[in-house]
Amino acid sequence: MKSILKHLILFIIGGICYYGLECLWRGYSHWTMAVLGGTCFIVLGGINELIPWSMPMRLQCLVGAIIITLLEFITGCIVNVILEWNVWDYSNVPFNIEGQICLPFSILWFGISGLVIVMDDWLRYWL
């Protein structure tokens, strides 16, 4: 039960942070971004649970950026393509794939991943 509560708290924190970052960036967001953010936070936090601590931080950030980009692509295909909610569209951004993901944001996720990994470690310690 304690583990479920800890993961729920981490999910909520990640969702709030992702939603908040998007509001700062675009001026608005969508509830699905909070779900995506919570999921990303839990998965990125698992990097140190599954991969040895000796892995260099830049490699952890690369893995994190790939994970976030993949989860964003899956979410985009569901909410934008299948459900047609049009939450975002990267079609006008260079190096995009079907308007769902793009290279500039993947690079941004690299830096954010480092912050998320450190924040998750700190929160897991206190929780």
Side-chain angles (χ1 to χ4, degrees):
M1 185 64 177
K2 187 178 179 181
S3 176
I4 292 171
L5 182 60
K6 176 175 70 173
H7 283 89
L8 179 61
I9 291 169
L10 292 170
F11 181 86
I12 291 168
I13 290 170
I16 290 169
C17 289
Y18 198 103
Y19 187 91
L21 279 173
E22 187 164 52
C23 285
L24 287 173
W25 186 264
R26 295 193 323 166
Y28 64 94
S29 191
H30 190 267
W31 66 267
T32 55
M33 296 301 90
V35 174
L36 174 59
T39 303
C40 288
F41 199 80
I42 294 294
V43 173
L44 262 61
I47 289 175
N48 280 338
E49 304 298 315
L50 300 174
I51 298 173
W53 280 81
S54 59
M55 176 186 271
M57 185 58 135
R58 65 186 174 278
L59 189 52
Q60 290 183 48
C61 291
L62 178 62
V63 170
I66 291 167
I67 289 169
I68 294 172
T69 301
L70 180 61
L71 289 172
E72 188 176 47
F73 184 75
I74 292 167
T75 302
C77 288
I78 294 168
V79 303
N80 295 326
V81 177
I82 295 170
L83 298 174
E84 298 180 357
W85 290 350
N86 302 316
V87 177
W88 73 85
D89 183 0
Y90 295 148
S91 294
N92 294 325
V93 180
F95 307 107
N96 77 80
I97 298 176
E98 297 181 25
Q100 303 310 307
I101 56 174
C102 63
L103 184 59
F105 279 97
S106 293
I107 293 168
L108 180 66
W109 299 140
F110 180 89
I112 290 175
S113 291
L115 297 172
V116 168
I117 291 166
V118 170
M119 185 174 157
D120 178 82
D121 287 344
W122 184 80
L123 287 168
R124 284 178 191 258
Y125 173 81
W126 287 106
L127 293 173

